[in-house]
Amino acid sequence: MFDSLAEKLNNAFKKFKNKGKLTEADVKEGMREVKLALLEADVNFKVVREFVKKVTERAVGADVLESLMPAQQIIKIVHEELISLMGETNNKLQISSRPPTVVMMVGLQGSGKTTHSGKLAGMYKKQGKRPLLVACDVYRPAAVDQLKVVGAQLDIPVFEMGTDVSPVEIAKAGLAHAERHGHDMVFIDTAGRLHVDEVLMNELSDIKEIANPTEILLVVDAMTGQDAVNVAESFNNQLDITGVLLSKLDGDTRGGAALSVRYVTGKPIKFTGTGEKLDAIEPFYPDRMASRILGMGDVLTLIEKAQQNFDEKKAMELERKIRENTFTLTDYLEQFRQIKDMGSIEEIVGMLPGVKPGALKDAQVDPKVMARTEAIILSMTEYEREHPSVINASRRKRIAQGSGTKVEDVNKLLRQYEQMNKMIKQLTGSMMGKKGKRRLRLPF
């Protein structure tokens, strides 16, 4: 995420770091590099001009130029201005005091409205809400079916009236249905077009008038950069949106949309889509994003991801097994799955402080390794997973065939498991004092 921008900014900062004392000319030279980095990241030119102006004004002050560590002072200023640019604080979804809370999802075709309508509904369902999805996209082929599939996967009901009824009538009937059946949140999936046009906007205005939404969220594809900003401006002028959801942010190496959209529209980024899975959606925190861009990490989001995938009962059971030296291949697989659910290795490591953005771009982190590990273990019998010592040459050959891998892969996995088991035994041995057993506190 934003690797390209982050790398260019860090290169620009090297001009400051290599000098013990800075002059006003040094600052302006370095800020030219920052300006180029932002423009190459497809950040809106008005945003770049204002950003560079603010940072330069603060950076040429006496507090910076006379500081013992002026380079760090400038990075601190850039960090603060990035936060200001993206919105200072996290803006939560407004919840209506009189249910249902109505969220109208708008945007161009292909931006991810349908999928992210489901993602948002799923997020609030986990928080105890009773959401309803309303299918108002009657133009795109299979749009209604897609929403129904998403709803089924999340166990969230979908209200639809086919494709022969006007979206305005569907929205009206959907709200009535929500009130009758006690749904406290309604997500209206509206139709998109390949470009902003008058017919689309008029229809959305009619839905807005009949639904009186609490929130109008614009879904924009972060990877479209400057185009995303232009789309946001057009929708905001017509509908007065309340916020933005940036989809496909995980694939955006530049950051043009994220750094521009709030400045241009005056409306906050409220959520980001960070992957294809239906739980790959996060609230947008400007301070955390600014820290990640500058290589300061994002420990808070990493902790939240870990908490979401943390099962206290499983953790207690795992602690017991480690204490008793009964850690099996089933437990080994469970740990792999928990790590996989937190996201890619690059994403997790990228949230750690001190890891420079883009540092892992050449690292050979194979995303297929976990899938191969899972396939091998699941190809074993339950007895083999609980008693790996019985896995002889013939069993290894059978397991390899069943998992579509090679015997060498099976051997490698078993060696890794044995190494982990030895490490666990050493750990438990060091935690056992002469006075008897002590409670083992796991680091995970």
Side-chain angles (χ1 to χ4, degrees):
M1 192 187 297
F2 299 173
D3 280 353
S4 177
L5 170 62
E7 192 173 358
K8 287 183 173 68
L9 285 177
N10 274 280
N11 287 335
F13 293 144
K14 287 178 182 177
K15 291 186 177 292
F16 302 127
K17 292 177 182 176
N18 294 335
K19 297 183 179 182
K21 281 285 184 180
L22 292 179
T23 65
E24 187 172 331
D26 292 330
V27 172
K28 290 184 176 178
E29 182 186 353
M31 290 313 298
R32 274 196 294 272
E33 295 290 326
V34 171
K35 181 179 180 179
L36 285 174
L38 293 171
L39 288 173
E40 288 177 16
D42 212 11
V43 180
N44 180 277
F45 75 95
K46 292 181 181 177
V47 176
V48 175
R49 185 177 60 195
E50 186 67 21
F51 179 83
V52 171
K53 179 184 175 184
K54 285 184 177 180
V55 173
T56 303
E57 286 176 353
R58 293 182 61 186
V60 297
D63 291 343
V64 175
L65 298 185
E66 296 175 11
S67 168
L68 292 175
M69 296 185 294
Q72 284 89 335
Q73 291 276 35
I74 290 177
I75 293 173
K76 178 175 180 288
I77 291 170
V78 171
H79 182 249
E80 290 171 352
E81 291 300 330
L82 280 174
I83 294 172
S84 176
L85 187 62
M86 291 187 285
E88 298 285 354
T89 59
N90 167 247
N91 282 267
K92 299 182 183 296
L93 204 67
Q94 289 293 113
I95 302 298
S96 176
S97 57
R98 295 182 60 185
T101 297
V102 180
V103 182
M104 186 174 163
M105 306 291 286
V106 301
L108 296 186
Q109 194 176 107
S111 60
K113 287 189 312 302
T114 300
T115 303
H116 285 85
S117 294
K119 286 183 179 183
L120 269 180
M123 174 188 283
Y124 281 93
K125 182 184 177 184
K126 288 180 180 177
Q127 297 177 20
K129 298 294 184 181
R130 297 189 68 247
L132 174 71
L133 292 166
V134 178
C136 285
D137 186 352
V138 300
Y139 305 110
R140 181 168 62 88
V144 175
D145 291 335
Q146 183 189 354
L147 190 64
K148 287 164 70 175
V149 169
V150 170
Q153 290 175 334
L154 294 165
D155 194 24
I156 295 172
V158 176
F159 179 85
E160 55 96 7
M161 297 172 68
T163 58
D164 296 327
V165 184
S166 78
V168 178
E169 289 301 316
I170 296 172
K172 184 177 180 181
L175 289 172
H177 178 89
E179 291 180 3
R180 285 197 306 271
H181 293 83
H183 294 285
D184 51 11
M185 293 195 82
V186 176
F187 293 87
I188 302 176
D189 179 31
T190 65
R193 299 288 191 279
L194 293 177
H195 57 87
V196 177
D197 60 43
E198 189 176 349
V199 176
L200 164 68
M201 289 304 184
N202 288 339
E203 182 178 277
L204 293 176
S205 295
D206 291 342
I207 294 175
K208 175 184 176 181
E209 186 175 348
I210 197 75
N212 190 25
T214 315
E215 293 265 5
I216 302 177
L217 289 187
L218 173 66
V219 182
V220 293
D221 183 342
M223 295 176 69
T224 57
Q226 187 62 49
D227 286 340
V229 179
N230 296 333
V231 168
E233 190 172 21
S234 298
F235 272 86
N236 186 52
N237 290 340
Q238 180 76 21
L239 296 170
D240 190 22
I241 62 174
T242 59
V244 174
L245 188 158
L246 281 181
S247 65
K248 307 174 189 176
L249 197 68
D250 54 313
D252 181 20
T253 63
R254 297 177 301 171
L259 292 174
S260 305
V261 71
R262 181 184 174 273
Y263 179 91
V264 172
T265 65
K267 303 301 169 62
I269 301 170
K270 296 199 171 189
F271 300 96
T272 59
T274 56
E276 295 180 2
K277 293 183 179 180
L278 291 177
D279 61 353
I281 185 169
E282 299 174 0
F284 183 78
Y285 293 90
D287 54 341
R288 301 184 190 182
M289 191 59 66
S291 294
R292 291 179 72 171
I293 290 173
L294 297 179
M296 298 176 183
D298 185 0
V299 175
L300 288 176
T301 298
L302 184 59
I303 291 170
E304 287 171 2
K305 279 181 173 287
Q307 288 174 336
Q308 287 169 6
N309 293 283
F310 176 78
D311 187 316
E312 190 171 358
K313 288 183 179 179
K314 286 182 180 179
M316 291 176 66
E317 177 65 14
L318 178 63
E319 180 183 340
R320 181 189 66 77
K321 289 190 172 190
I322 290 176
R323 260 204 322 267
E324 298 173 359
N325 288 331
T326 57
F327 185 79
T328 68
L329 278 165
T330 302
D331 303 317
Y332 187 72
L333 176 60
E334 180 63 32
Q335 298 312 301
F336 261 84
R337 283 174 170 168
Q338 287 195 23
I339 293 171
K340 185 172 70 172
D341 289 341
M342 286 179 65
S344 68
I345 297 297
E346 292 95 334
E347 184 182 358
I348 294 170
V349 176
M351 293 180 188
L352 298 174
V355 178
K356 292 183 179 180
L360 291 173
K361 66 178 181 180
D362 296 321
Q364 298 300 311
V365 182
D366 187 355
K368 296 178 182 178
V369 169
M370 289 187 182
R372 188 161 57 237
T373 298
E374 190 170 2
I376 292 171
I377 296 176
L378 291 178
S379 293
M380 299 175 184
T381 65
E382 186 176 346
Y383 187 81
E384 288 169 342
R385 291 197 292 269
E386 297 298 315
H387 305 88
S389 59
V390 305
I391 303 177
N392 55 23
S394 62
R395 288 177 185 257
R396 292 178 192 218
K397 185 176 180 181
R398 190 206 78 242
I399 292 166
Q401 290 175 338
S403 59
T405 59
K406 299 177 182 178
V407 174
E408 291 87 344
D409 296 323
V410 179
N411 292 337
K412 184 178 180 181
L413 170 63
L414 291 173
R415 283 197 302 271
Q416 290 172 341
Y417 165 74
E418 283 301 322
Q419 289 170 358
M420 178 174 278
N421 237 343
K422 286 180 182 178
M423 185 181 71
I424 287 172
K425 287 177 182 178
Q426 290 173 356
L427 176 65
T428 53
S430 66
M431 294 296 290
M432 300 284 286
K434 293 180 180 180
K435 296 180 180 179
K437 292 186 177 182
R438 296 191 300 179
R439 179 172 174 79
L440 173 62
R441 294 192 177 276
L442 298 177
F444 47 81

